[in-house]
Structure formats: C-alpha cells, structure tokens
Amino acid sequence: MNPSFSPANQKLFFTRQDPADPRLGEMVKTAPVDAPGVAIVGYPDDEGVALNGGRTGAKLGPDAIREWLYRMTPHPRLETRALFDLGNLKTEAPIGDRHNLAADAVKELLGRGHKVLALGGGNDYAFADGWGFLQSLKSDTRPVIVNIDAHLDVRDLSRGLTSGTPFYRLLESEHEFHFIEIGMQSVCNAKSHWDYVEKKGGKIISMDEILECGAGFHDYVTRELGDLLRRKIPAYIAIDIDAFAYPFAKGSSAPWPLGIDPHQFYTTLKLLLNRWDVRVLGIYEVSPELENGTGTAKLAAQWAHMFLHV
C-alpha cells in the first residue's frame, strides 16, 4: 500500500450478495493486482478550488463517485479490467507536495502497466495526473492531453497553485504533447488565457463555436480533431464536471447552463477511448454538497464505468 494514501472505505464496496447479479464493488481489490488493470485513486481535496475563489465541496467527490460506481454492474457484453482501489491521498502535506505525491503514484502505477482512474477533488490535480502521465512515457513519444472543461485553467503562478493553474504548469514543463481544450466558454475565460493556449500550440474547441456551427457536438469535435484520431497514441483525458450543462451537473464548483449535453458527449468519449491509448482518466470537481441529490456523482461514475470497459 502506498503510504501517501489511506485505504478506501470498504463500506462503499457494494454487494447484493447475489452471484447472479454481481456489482463492481465485489470485483475491486484493495491491494495491487499482478495483471495490468485499472488503479483507482482519490483526491479528497478542494483547497485549490478555494484558493481560486470557487465553491468548495469537491473534497467529498471521490467517495461520492465510488458509492455509485461500485453499485454498478459490470458491462454485460464487455470484459471488465482487473480493478484495485489505492484509496484516498492523505492531505496533511502542503498543496504542492500533495500534487507531487499524487504524480509519483500515477507514474509508478503506469510504469507497472496499469491504467489510472483518478477521482477528484479540485481540478488542480489535473497537473498531478498529467505530470505523472508525462513522466511515465518514453522521451520519443508525443502524447495527447485533453481537457474537457468550461475553463481553460491556464492561470499563471503569480497567485500560487490553484484549481486554475494545472495546464499552465504542464505547458510550461519540458515535455511536448498535443494539447486540446474542449467545451470552453467565452463567458468565463480571459483573452490572455485564450491567447496563451494558442501561443503554446494548443487547440481550443469552444462551446461557443460548437453551438454556432449547427452541427452536433460529436460531429464537430471529431472533425476538429482530424488526423489525431487516426493514431493510437498515449492519452490523458481530464474531465472537469463543470463542462456539462447545469441541469446535468448541479454539484460542481462553477456549472453553466450552456454546457455539454452528456448524451452527446457519450459518443465522443467512447470514440476517444477506442481510438487512443487512454492511460489516465481524471474526473474532477464533483461537489455533492452543492446539489440536492446525487446526479452529478452518478454522471461522473458513468464516465468512469466506460473507462473500465475499454
């Protein structure tokens, strides 16, 4: 067991005690499996959200997602990868040290042949997951990093580490990668941040242009990705749950009414998981206490469920 993590609450490992109706909670292990599988890690930490002026609550996200994920059935027609849950990152260390501990864990897990499902927590952990992912690769590999988000999250470090800085930190690193931002909205992104992404060679596929083009979300995004979809390249996909329209993601720090419709996103995510070698999927800023109900955590759990069966 990684000493930087506390074991997951086994009360979340749901079972119906019915062999004819198995659940993922019965399949997940709490110790690393020998065969390559999916390692699940949790970041019960929303300090970065608070430091960015956002509404807190994402520290409860990892266990809320687990609660619904482990109630789900394995896919009836697809093989479920071997699963183990590393638990939740301990949060006593300063925020920068926590990011480094998480990145080290991701790098180690990937180096052992596992894929990683990361459950946030604030979107600042997209740096940790992205950094661990990049460090695990061979130097001659140019991977792809995708941020599904209403926000670009490329604030510089003049105000310290926050949930708004993860992709600035990755873009300022020595690693080269294809960078794609999907779902950004003009109402919540400064021109300076937009210009920075483009200066760094990143591609922005905004909700504004998707809504204005007249085509569906999936058709527009896949057309814009073009040749990248023809290569089986290593990938990290970060999903900030506030990318989705408010009716579907009320439990997030900063939801917007004109966000992504999950019905349209389903097809796109399925395609990306099938076309690329997606080694890390991170889902961030699920904040259960900000909604009356569990719809946002359930939505996050459905994206996690897809990742387990690719």
Side-chain angles (χ1 to χ4, degrees):
M1 182 63 68
N2 188 311
S4 301
F5 287 76
S6 299
N9 183 352
Q10 294 207 16
K11 291 182 179 179
L12 300 173
F13 295 4
F14 181 81
T15 175
R16 291 186 61 86
Q17 299 184 347
D18 179 357
D21 188 9
R23 301 303 168 107
L24 289 175
E26 299 170 279
M27 299 179 61
V28 66
K29 309 297 183 183
T30 56
V33 294
D34 294 330
V38 177
I40 299 170
V41 296
Y43 308 133
D45 182 5
D46 55 15
E47 181 183 357
V49 177
L51 291 171
N52 201 37
R55 300 188 301 165
T56 57
K59 64 184 178 183
L60 302 178
D63 281 358
I65 299 170
R66 282 186 177 100
E67 180 178 2
W68 292 107
L69 178 62
Y70 291 153
R71 285 177 172 269
M72 293 178 175
T73 55
H75 196 291
R77 293 291 182 265
L78 298 175
E79 181 180 356
T80 303
R81 295 178 182 273
L83 308 177
F84 72 93
D85 195 321
L86 197 64
N88 285 334
L89 183 72
K90 297 176 182 177
T91 57
E92 294 86 355
I95 186 169
D97 292 344
R98 297 198 297 270
H99 293 164
N100 291 336
L101 291 169
D104 288 345
V106 170
K107 177 185 176 182
E108 178 187 356
L109 292 165
L110 294 173
R112 290 162 58 186
H114 301 300
K115 293 181 181 290
V116 176
L117 172 62
L119 308 177
N123 203 36
D124 44 302
Y125 280 91
F127 166 76
D129 294 327
W131 186 238
F133 166 69
L134 291 173
Q135 289 187 303
S136 73
L137 299 170
K138 297 179 180 179
S139 59
D140 60 348
T141 302
R142 188 180 183 194
V144 60
I145 292 179
V146 180
N147 180 34
I148 312 294
D149 199 339
H151 305 87
L152 294 166
D153 284 341
V154 290
R155 296 181 184 276
D156 65 28
L157 304 183
S158 60
R159 297 175 182 268
L161 303 178
T162 74
S163 62
T165 62
F167 298 103
Y168 175 86
R169 297 175 71 188
L170 292 175
L171 288 167
E172 290 296 312
S173 74
E174 71 273 16
H175 291 276
E176 291 189 3
F177 55 92
H178 302 283
F179 184 49
I180 303 159
E181 303 242 36
I182 301 174
M184 287 63 225
Q185 299 196 37
S186 61
V187 297
C188 55
N189 290 282
K191 181 180 185 299
S192 61
H193 298 160
W194 212 281
D195 292 345
Y196 172 80
V197 173
E198 293 179 337
K199 178 182 177 181
K200 285 291 187 176
K203 184 173 185 59
I204 300 172
I205 305 174
S206 71
M207 278 307 299
D208 301 59
E209 60 190 283
I210 292 169
L211 293 171
E212 292 167 6
C213 76
F217 177 90
H218 176 75
D219 290 342
Y220 188 84
V221 169
T222 53
R223 185 176 71 205
E224 289 296 303
L225 292 178
D227 288 343
L228 271 181
L229 290 175
R230 296 186 176 93
R231 287 179 273 164
K232 194 75 172 179
I233 51 179
Y236 159 48
I237 298 177
I239 300 176
D240 186 326
I241 209 71
D242 72 18
F244 298 96
Y246 175 75
F248 304 108
K250 296 179 180 179
S252 64
S253 175
W256 293 92
L258 293 180
I260 300 170
D261 183 329
H263 301 85
Q264 299 176 29
F265 182 70
Y266 177 96
T267 308
T268 304
L269 180 60
K270 193 74 171 181
L271 179 69
L272 299 184
L273 293 174
N274 285 325
R275 293 287 181 88
W276 290 336
D277 177 14
V278 180
R279 300 183 184 182
V280 183
L281 178 72
I283 306 173
Y284 312 101
E285 302 207 1
V286 172
S287 305
E289 63 184 20
L290 297 180
E291 67 178 336
N292 294 320
T294 57
T296 307
K298 280 187 174 181
L299 177 63
Q302 287 192 276
W303 303 141
H305 187 272
M306 287 177 65
F307 183 59
L308 302 183
H309 294 90
V310 175

